[in-house]
């Protein structure tokens, strides 16, 4: 127990409310310059906890509250906030607010904003250790110096005061005073008895008068009874009417209450529906974002496809232009071939005519030569030429002329033949070029047809992949939302599990985990409740049997636990109990063979490595069908028995009724954490597979 906070308001030294920061549970020190108010702060604490300032006159109260000019304060208070986690003050709260208010006429005390008397406050403080008989729980300024300088007689008085002798003397004086008062009262009682005896005599005389009075009073009461009976009958009549009216009002009130309950139920259902709608709206938002992303991707894909289509159309247009140019070239070649053929047809009659003329000329030459020879023969060579030389010369000249004509005709024939050969070659080349262009045209048309088919196939495949990607996006969003929900449930269960453990044990477990990570300590397996698993119907039996043993930490050896304890002690990190496996000796227990008795260990799942630790905690406990079987088994076999409802019967015969809050079940929370963690891992693996599929689809697209 320690003072956590002090709040002061209304005193002349504190114009406004002053509230300190929370104090440390260890040592606190108040420092400041002279006159800064350290002594006033000290007196403020004594103002609440001691008898200081109890017997104050009005002037002193006025001086304590207000001094000087200005607005006058009518009351002031000091409130102390006390940490009551150890329950030293008999109040069922971990934090107690004790306030003393002083006014101009009286003081008032408040405990947690409830008005109580001064005596109750003193009794509470004495039960917490603030005894008026020993006021040295507060050491005033200069008290230690005065103790060192006081005389021996004064020290003796001080020792008597601390030892309680002074209280004894005060109580003795009070007892003597009470005895004196009792003696005086005894004398008064004797006088009263004498007066009563005299009075009895007077009463005997009045007794006769009383009898007469009783007779008359009997008659009076008879008459009053008759009157009251009539009034009672009327009153009952009215009560019946009022009761009927009250019944109607009660029925109306019940109906209204039922309507209110139904309204509350509807409100809860509507709130649940609202939460579901919020989640659906969030999912729709996510789906909208996903669809917008899909739309953006689709627009990009559409633009890319349009560009591809334009490229293909340009390519097809280029191929068509090439085809048209090839067709025009083919037509030109065909026209050129046709023209060449026509020229050849035109040249051929001329050639034939020339050949025929050449034949005619040759025949004419031969005929003329024959005629000439005939003439020469007729005329005779001698008569024609004067000499042989002139004749030879003339003949040679004729021969040369004929040969020149012959050579001219032969050369012309060769030129015509060459032209014919060149034209034939050109025709063959043009035919070959036309065939090649026709083959290229057919190949381009086939390529365009294949490209269109392939484009349609790619487009269909793209649509399928986009549909699959939309489904995967939705699945990814659902999985992410489900993972977040499971993680939130795990965090909530971990917090609930953390709050289910006592404070010092919770701090100890957290410190053990931190120490193991900081100092790299291996061989620490964790608390019992993290190492076991069982059917849900045995949760109550397991937790009631184990109690705080569920938080015992299982370690490999006692050296590891000793090392961790040293760190815990140095850091003051809480309280932890360790179970070293090398030191545990499992008890040997004989379990009766009966269908109504089941060993608790047989219904638990744990690693064989931790079997000694589990045998130490649960080895002597069996689960019984009901309380009668548990009582009989405990007496006969000396075992600790428990039912599924948590009722315990120890081997000594003690019975304990089980009260178990299933909502705070450590095993239930641990089971939720395990299941949700497993589900989170599975969902994350599935989410990773979905994302990989999306990456593959994006790569294909």
């Amino acid at each position: 127990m320690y003072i956590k906070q002090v709040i002061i308001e209304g005193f002349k030294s504190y114009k406004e409310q002053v509230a300190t920061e929370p104090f440390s549970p260890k040592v606190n020190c108040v420092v400041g310059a002279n006159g800064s108010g350290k002594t006033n702060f000290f007196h403020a604490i004594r103002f609440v906890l001691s008898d200081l300032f109890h017997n104050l006159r009005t002037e002193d109260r006025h001086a304590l509250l207000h001094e000087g000019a200005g607005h006058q304060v009518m009351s002031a208070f000091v409130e102390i906030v006390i940490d009551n986690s150890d329950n030293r003050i008999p109040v069922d709260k971990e934090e107690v607010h004790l306030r003393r208010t002083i006014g101009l006429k009286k003081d008032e005390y408040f405990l947690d904003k409830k008005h109580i008397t001064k005596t109750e406050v003193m009794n509470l403080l004495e039960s917490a250790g603030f005894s008026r008989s020993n006021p040295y729980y507060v050491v005033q300024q200069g008290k230690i110096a005065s103790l060192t300088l006081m005389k021996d007689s004064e020290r003796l008085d001080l020792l008597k005061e601390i030892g309680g002798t002074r209280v004894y003397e005060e109580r003795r004086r009070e007892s003597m005073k009470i005895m004196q008062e009792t003696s005086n009262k005894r004398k008064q009682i004797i006088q009263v008895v004498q007066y009563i005896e005299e009075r009895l005599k007077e009463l005997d005389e009045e007794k006769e008068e009383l009898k007469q009075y009783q007779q008359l009073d009997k008659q009076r009461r008879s008459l009053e009874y008759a009157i009251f009976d009539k009034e009672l009958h009327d009153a009952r009549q009215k009560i019946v009417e009022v009761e009927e009216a009250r019944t109607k009002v009660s029925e109306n009130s019940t109906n209204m209450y039922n309507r209110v309950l139904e309204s509350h139920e509807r409100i809860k259902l509507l709130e649940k529906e609202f939460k579901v709608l919020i989640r659906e709206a969030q999912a729709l938002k996510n789906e909208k974002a996903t669809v917008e992303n899909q739309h953006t991707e689709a627009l990009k894909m559409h633009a890319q496809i349009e560009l591809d289509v334009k490229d293909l159309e340009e390519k097809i247009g280029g191929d068509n232009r090439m085809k048209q140019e090839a067709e025009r070239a083919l037509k030109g070649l065909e026209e050129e071939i046709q023209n060449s053929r026509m020229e050849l047809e035109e040249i051929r009659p001329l050639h034939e005519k020339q050949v025929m003329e050449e034949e005619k000329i040759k025949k004419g030459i031969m005929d003329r030569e024959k005629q000439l020879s005939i003439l020469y023969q007729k005329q005779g060579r001698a008569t024609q030429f004067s000499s042989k030389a002139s004749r030879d010369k003339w003949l040679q000249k004729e021969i040369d002329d004929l040969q020149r004509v012959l050579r001219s005709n032969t050369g012309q024939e060769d030129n015509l033949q060459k032209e014919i050969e060149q034209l034939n070659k050109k025709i063959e080349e043009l035919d070959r070029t036309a065939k090649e262009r026709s083959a290229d045209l057919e190949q381009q048309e086939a390529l365009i047809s294949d490209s269109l088919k392939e484009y349609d196939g790619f487009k269909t495949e793209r649509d399928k992949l986009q549909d699959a990607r939309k489904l995967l996006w939705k699945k990814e969003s659902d999985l992410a939302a489900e993972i977040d929900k499971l993680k939130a449930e795990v965090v909530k269960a971990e917090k609930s599990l953390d709050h289910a453990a006592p404070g010092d044990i919770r701090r100890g477990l957290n410190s053990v985990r931190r120490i193991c990570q900081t100092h790299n300590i291996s061989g620490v397996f964790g608390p019992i409740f993290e190492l076991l698993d069982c059917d849900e119907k045995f949760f109550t039996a397991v937790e009631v049997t184990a109690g705080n043993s569920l938080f015992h930490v299982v370690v490999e050896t006692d050296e590891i636990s000793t090392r961790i304890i040293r760190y815990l002690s140095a850091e003051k990190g809480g309280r932890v109990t360790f179970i070293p496996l090398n030191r545990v000796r499992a008890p040997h227990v004989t379990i009766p063979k009966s269908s109504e008795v089941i060993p608790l260990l047989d219904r638990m799942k744990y690693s064989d490595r931790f079997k000694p630790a589990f045998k130490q905690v649960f080895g002597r406990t069996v689960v019984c069908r009901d309380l009668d079987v548990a009582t009989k088994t405990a007496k006969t076999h000396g075992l600790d028995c428990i039912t599924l409802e948590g009722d315990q019967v120890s081997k000594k015969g003690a019975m304990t009724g089980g009260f178990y809050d299933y909502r705070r079940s450590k095993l239930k929370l641990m089971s939720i954490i395990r299941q949700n963690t497993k589900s989170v891992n599975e969902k994350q693996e599935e989410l990773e597979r979905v994302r990989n599929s999306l990456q593959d689809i994006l790569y294909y697209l």
Side-chain angles (χ1 to χ4, degrees), residues 372-373 375-377 379-401:
L372 182 61
S373 64
L375 289 175
Y376 284 151
Q377 288 176 2
Q379 292 179 1
R381 292 180 181 177
T383 58
Q384 186 178 1
F385 298 103
S386 60
S387 65
K388 183 180 179 181
S390 59
R391 186 195 63 186
D392 293 336
K393 185 178 179 181
W394 181 81
L395 290 173
Q396 189 63 39
K397 182 180 178 182
E398 290 293 326
I399 291 168
D400 291 336
D401 292 334

Side-chain angles (χ1 to χ4, degrees), residues 112-164:
D112 291 332
K113 299 182 180 180
K114 294 182 181 178
H115 186 273
I116 61 173
T117 63
K118 174 186 173 184
T119 305
E120 292 175 339
V121 172
M122 293 298 113
N123 291 336
L124 284 174
L125 293 176
E126 282 192 0
S127 64
F130 299 96
S131 176
R132 286 182 293 178
S133 62
N134 182 15
Y136 289 93
Y137 55 85
V138 177
V139 181
Q140 304 179 27
Q141 183 177 3
K143 194 69 174 180
I144 296 174
S146 65
L147 291 175
T148 58
L149 297 174
M150 66 174 48
K151 299 177 182 179
D152 293 339
S153 59
E154 293 174 347
R155 288 195 184 94
L156 179 60
D157 293 337
L158 178 61
L159 291 173
K160 287 181 179 180
E161 184 178 355
I162 295 173

Side-chain angles (χ1 to χ4, degrees), residues 7-11 43-56 61 64-65 75-80 97-103 106-112 114-116 118 121-122 125:
I7 303 171
I8 308 171
E9 181 180 356
F11 293 95
H43 285 316
I45 296 175
R46 293 189 63 201
F47 177 78
V48 180
L49 298 180
S50 67
D51 290 331
L52 188 66
F53 308 112
H54 272 293
N55 299 319
L56 294 175
R61 290 175 181 271
L64 189 64
L65 292 171
S75 66
F77 72 88
V78 177
E79 181 174 335
I80 295 178
H97 295 254
L98 182 60
R99 175 186 288 193
R100 179 183 174 185
T101 303
I102 182 171
K106 64 176 182 178
D107 295 351
E108 291 181 325
Y109 287 88
F110 296 91
L111 181 68
D112 291 332
K114 294 182 181 178
H115 186 273
I116 61 173
K118 174 186 173 184
V121 172
M122 293 298 113
L125 293 176

Side-chain angles (χ1 to χ4, degrees), residues 515-526:
I515 289 168
C516 292
Q517 291 177 356
T518 304
H519 301 281
N520 196 17
I521 299 175
S522 59
V524 179
F525 304 112

